Amino acid sequence: MRHPAGHSFRSSSTSAPSGIATARWDADFTDALYRLLLLTDNATDIAMLASTRLRELYYSVLKGEAGSTVRGSFGVGNAIGRAIEYLASHVNENVTIDDMASKIGMSKAVFHRKFKQATTMSPIQFVKSMRLNNAAKRIAEGTNVSVAAMDVGYISSSQFSRDFKRMYGLSPKQWEKENKAKAATMLQ
């Protein structure tokens, strides 16, 4: 079938239309969505945490099964997507903007601008957010706070605690207690 402007349409009912993709709903996405939905009852929590939890949800989509499709949908997504994949696989290492820019063949200035366009965060903010999300997940799974901090590349426990509280509105210890209480109520 041809569109009047000359574009082809698929008429087969067995194939998905171009531009539509499906992916499995994974545990990281479920956890991120659940944490976002927990904010619905408290205006203060929404004001303080909603943008961070939404970023966490976006991140879970980007690193999940649908990630390559989503990254490919953005104009700068292919190069920035490669940088995000690189970051995800080197999250506990000291990755610099120069490292990321050279991996995708951009100057440092262009990389910084395009990364911020694609993610609304600077590369350094994104790395910090990624590390803190990974640490929060590990703490929620029962990993000791200090171990989780070191596992994601933090050397200073006080810096980790400050960054964590800024992002989640709770200290890592409070986060650990809150998530243990939630897990206990879910198991009952």
Side-chain angles (χ1 to χ4, degrees), residues 34 140 176-188:
Y34 177 71
E176 180 179 39
K177 286 178 187 171
E178 185 177 293
N179 281 283
K180 280 183 182 175
K182 285 179 188 170
T185 58
M186 284 184 201
L187 294 174
Q188 293 176 351

Side-chain angles (χ1 to χ4, degrees), residues 59-119:
Y59 171 66
S60 70
V61 170
L62 287 172
K63 73 176 196 168
E65 185 179 305
S68 61
T69 302
V70 172
R71 286 187 299 275
S73 299
F74 298 110
V76 296
N78 291 329
I80 300 307
R82 286 194 316 273
I84 290 170
E85 286 175 11
Y86 177 77
L87 286 171
S89 63
H90 296 87
V91 71
N92 60 343
E93 298 172 18
N94 186 19
V95 179
T96 67
I97 293 175
D98 288 331
D99 293 337
M100 291 184 282
S102 69
K103 288 283 180 204
I104 60 172
M106 290 184 188
S107 73
K108 184 177 172 180
V110 170
F111 172 73
H112 193 278
R113 181 174 41 82
K114 289 190 175 199
F115 193 95
K116 194 159 186 167
Q117 282 175 338
T119 66

Side-chain angles (χ1 to χ4, degrees), residues 118-168:
T119 66
T120 71
M121 290 186 269
S122 73
I124 299 304
Q125 290 170 321
F126 191 88
V127 168
K128 186 183 289 187
S129 176
M130 185 183 293
R131 286 180 176 163
L132 291 169
N133 284 333
N134 285 343
K137 181 179 176 187
R138 290 176 186 191
I139 292 167
E141 293 169 346
T143 302
N144 174 283
V145 171
S146 298
V147 172
M150 289 186 339
D151 284 350
V152 297
Y154 274 86
I155 297 168
S156 166
S157 60
S158 60
Q159 183 65 46
F160 173 73
S161 292
R162 277 192 301 274
D163 289 347
F164 194 97
K165 187 164 187 171
R166 193 175 300 125
M167 184 165 174
Y168 289 101

